[in-house]
Amino acid sequence: MATVTLLQQRTREMHLRNDIKKQGQLQLKSNFNFNVKYAANNQNCVATLYQSFEDKSGAEEFSASVTLEGVFSCQGVADDEDKKAVHLQAYEALFPYLQSVVGQLFSSTGFPGFMVKKIPLDEGRVVVSQKKRENDPPTLPIV
């Protein structure tokens, strides 16, 4: 059975725009992306979790986005099914950090108590691709 251990996490990017001029309700829509890249030996991986928020009305008065990155050690990764399990475990480990960072960001802009809803993931939604595309940027070494 594949398992992961979070070694390090960091907020890689954070963007915020708050030009709201009047009081009222704000309805937000959200985008979400999560991916995992493995070292050649499958003993380490880097997971990237991205979440963005913007006004549903299309007005550009408010938008926010956060990108988190986690470095993990992996044990027992032998095939794509193991990678799916790692994917789910890495998401579970990183999500609380995303929730905390987004909560702090929103609180600093006058929206205290904002809570990110966890997107339920299951193995059926996880896509493992081992094909290296020609234009992919070089990967960073994992330390």
Side-chain angles (χ1 to χ4, degrees):
M1 176 180 171
T3 59
V4 298
T5 303
L6 179 62
L7 302 175
Q8 176 186 359
Q9 67 81 29
R10 69 180 178 133
T11 302
R12 206 175 77 204
E13 285 187 44
M14 199 176 340
H15 298 274
L16 172 70
R17 180 184 180 120
N18 185 357
D19 289 332
I20 298 173
K21 307 277 190 272
K22 58 184 178 180
Q23 290 185 351
Q25 252 189 352
L26 184 64
Q27 292 191 359
L28 298 176
K29 63 180 178 180
S30 176
N31 272 331
F32 155 84
N33 189 11
F34 184 69
N35 65 57
V36 179
K37 293 186 180 178
Y38 294 87
N41 62 7
N42 288 337
Q43 291 183 0
N44 293 314
C45 67
V46 175
T48 305
L49 176 55
Y50 168 83
Q51 186 102 28
S52 68
F53 308 90
E54 59 186 44
D55 189 347
K56 274 187 178 181
S57 71
E60 295 183 5
E61 293 177 335
F62 183 87
S63 64
S65 67
V66 173
T67 303
L68 288 185
E69 188 173 79
V71 176
F72 295 85
S73 68
C74 307
Q75 295 82 35
V77 179
D79 58 23
D80 286 354
E81 290 305 309
D82 292 335
K83 287 184 177 182
K84 286 182 179 185
V86 165
H87 194 98
L88 297 175
Q89 290 175 44
Y91 175 71
E92 292 292 325
L94 273 184
F95 182 79
Y97 293 100
L98 176 81
Q99 201 168 40
S100 176
V101 168
V102 169
Q104 291 172 23
L105 179 64
F106 273 65
S107 184
S108 71
T109 65
F111 296 102
F114 182 82
M115 178 80 81
V116 178
K117 183 178 177 184
K118 191 175 190 179
I119 308 295
L121 290 184
D122 60 45
E123 285 189 20
R125 295 180 64 184
V126 176
V127 176
V128 177
S129 173
Q130 295 180 348
K131 296 178 185 174
K132 179 102 172 134
R133 293 183 299 247
E134 207 172 290
N135 295 329
D136 279 352
T139 58
L140 297 174
I142 298 174
V143 288

